[in-house]
Amino acid sequence: MELNKQVVHMFLREVHVRDFDGTSAEPTSMHRLDYQQSEQDPNLFEFKLTFMFGHFGTQVDGVLEAAILIQSEDGADVDILAEIKKEEALFAIPLFAKASSIITKLSEDRGQFPIIVPIELWLEQ
């Protein structure tokens, strides 16, 4: 079932940057995705991404929140929540992209070279 998805708004709830003492050559990352249907609009879903990424001496922890409007293409009656549960990572791609962008910007602002985080890293977890 093909669904139309439109990000209504997204914002960074909080972010923390600190030193990271990881010794692995590979980055350390974790995330948790929570979502719920809006009480006012059955087609509006509120997503919350809590993430942590550490590499090259920098750790970035943050919380992103987004409201995404999701509807079926033809207006058919679809259990959208069940569709999200089947492929939740695909619905969270806008949040993963924003988290990657934030990590790149904050690592660069810290006086280091920018740490590039591909979206695929989030999808693999």
Side-chain angles (χ1 to χ4, degrees):
M1 169 66 54
E2 187 65 32
L3 297 172
N4 292 327
K5 302 169 241 10
Q6 178 183 1
V7 176
V8 177
H9 65 81
M10 184 183 312
F11 61 95
L12 182 62
R13 170 69 65 192
E14 64 181 275
V15 68
H16 305 279
V17 181
R18 63 190 103 215
D19 291 335
F20 181 67
D21 296 327
T23 56
S24 172
E26 295 298 316
T28 300
S29 65
M30 293 181 271
H31 73 273
R32 176 183 167 157
L33 181 66
D34 298 303
Y35 48 88
Q36 65 183 15
Q37 193 171 23
S38 170
E39 293 177 5
Q40 289 82 25
D41 184 348
N43 293 319
L44 188 64
F45 292 82
E46 298 161 358
F47 285 78
K48 178 179 171 183
L49 176 67
T50 304
F51 64 92
M52 186 285 286
F53 182 86
H55 199 39
F56 296 126
T58 299
Q59 178 176 328
V60 179
D61 304 310
V63 178
L64 281 167
E65 294 183 5
I68 303 176
L69 186 63
I70 304 171
Q71 300 173 326
S72 65
E73 281 188 344
D74 55 5
D77 207 16
V78 177
D79 185 356
I80 297 173
L81 202 53
E83 293 292 322
I84 293 172
K85 286 179 183 176
K86 278 197 285 186
E87 299 185 55
E88 65 183 26
L90 294 178
F91 287 88
I93 286 176
L95 287 101
F96 293 147
K98 182 57 84 176
S100 294
S101 171
I102 289 166
I103 292 165
T104 300
K105 179 67 175 142
L106 292 175
S107 63
E108 184 178 33
D109 287 351
R110 200 162 191 242
Q112 297 179 319
F113 58 90
I115 298 172
I116 308 299
V117 183
I119 295 173
E120 291 80 18
L121 180 87
W122 305 110
L123 295 174
E124 291 170 358
Q125 297 179 353

